[in-house]
Amino acid sequence: LVVRMAGLAGDTRVARLAARTAALKWIAAMASALGGPATVPYLEPLLLPLYRLTEAGSTAASLPGGADAKALAEEVLSHVRSTCGSDAVLSAYTRAQARVRDARKARKARSAMRAMVDPAAAAASRLRRGAKKAAGRKRKMEDMKRLRSARTFHGSAGSRKRGAGAGGGRGDKRARLGAAFAGGGAGG
């Protein structure tokens, strides 16, 4: 059960946002219910998702609901630290950190080995990754174009036109300021 709840707490999929929040709260509740000495054997699997969420370069915080999850994870970590003691939590946190680091290193080595063993598959993988990036850039540009056209269509200040009467000329700004001050306040 502990490993399952730790897995839910570390799940970064958007569809599992409520489950992740509930699992983080469960970790805090379990630490309170069992007390410090009884929780110590379970600290390493419980601290793995907390480490992943609270580490400095975490991408989990940039995901939807990630900032709330990071804040909750920091709160749960401080609660577990106060319940179980700083020394036990620090040693388990260090082991969790080493485990994550080793897993990342093994993934990187496996990827490099795969590239050496099967260069054709590695090339295909690079092409797929490049196509995904290109599609993402294309999607981003379409969104930017859509936003730009919406701003221009609605007549907001996003227009790039310059000259008299287009909102960008020097005389137009002076005229607006003069009208604002002559009108006796903000907005004319």
Side-chain angles (χ1 to χ4, degrees):
L1 181 64
V2 171
V3 173
R4 173 74 178 133
M5 293 306 273
L8 279 175
D11 197 345
T12 57
R13 289 180 284 188
V14 176
R16 299 279 177 94
L17 187 61
R20 180 173 57 179
T21 305
L24 288 170
K25 290 178 182 177
W26 183 86
I27 291 171
M30 190 201 86
S32 295
L34 291 180
T39 308
V40 171
Y42 307 111
L43 278 178
E44 188 177 341
L46 291 177
L47 291 181
L48 269 170
L50 296 177
Y51 169 71
R52 284 194 184 108
L53 283 168
T54 58
E55 73 176 316
S58 174
T59 57
S62 65
L63 297 171
D68 296 335
K70 184 174 181 174
L72 182 60
E74 288 171 352
E75 189 177 328
V76 168
L77 186 61
S78 67
H79 176 72
V80 169
R81 188 180 302 125
S82 67
T83 304
C84 299
S86 296
D87 295 336
V89 171
L90 181 63
S91 65
Y93 193 81
T94 305
R95 286 193 307 271
Q97 188 177 20
R99 200 163 144 187
V100 168
R101 187 176 49 243
D102 292 345
R104 286 177 182 164
K105 195 182 293 185
R107 249 193 328 267
K108 200 169 188 177
R110 195 170 47 243
S111 173
M113 184 62 75
R114 193 178 308 129
M116 290 183 69
V117 170
D118 193 1
S125 173
R126 283 194 303 271
L127 286 173
R128 276 195 306 273
R129 195 171 30 226
K132 280 184 184 179
K133 281 190 169 191
R137 281 193 301 267
K138 186 176 178 181
R139 216 175 18 252
K140 183 178 176 182
M141 288 306 296
E142 288 173 356
D143 289 344
M144 294 298 283
K145 283 180 184 177
R146 195 171 21 257
L147 282 174
R148 230 176 310 164
S149 68
R151 275 191 295 190
T152 305
F153 179 72
H154 291 297
S156 65
S159 176
R160 296 272 182 217
K161 296 177 188 170
R162 294 283 180 194
R170 191 168 242 253
D172 189 41
K173 183 176 180 181
R174 285 186 180 157
R176 281 195 319 262
L177 287 175
F181 285 115

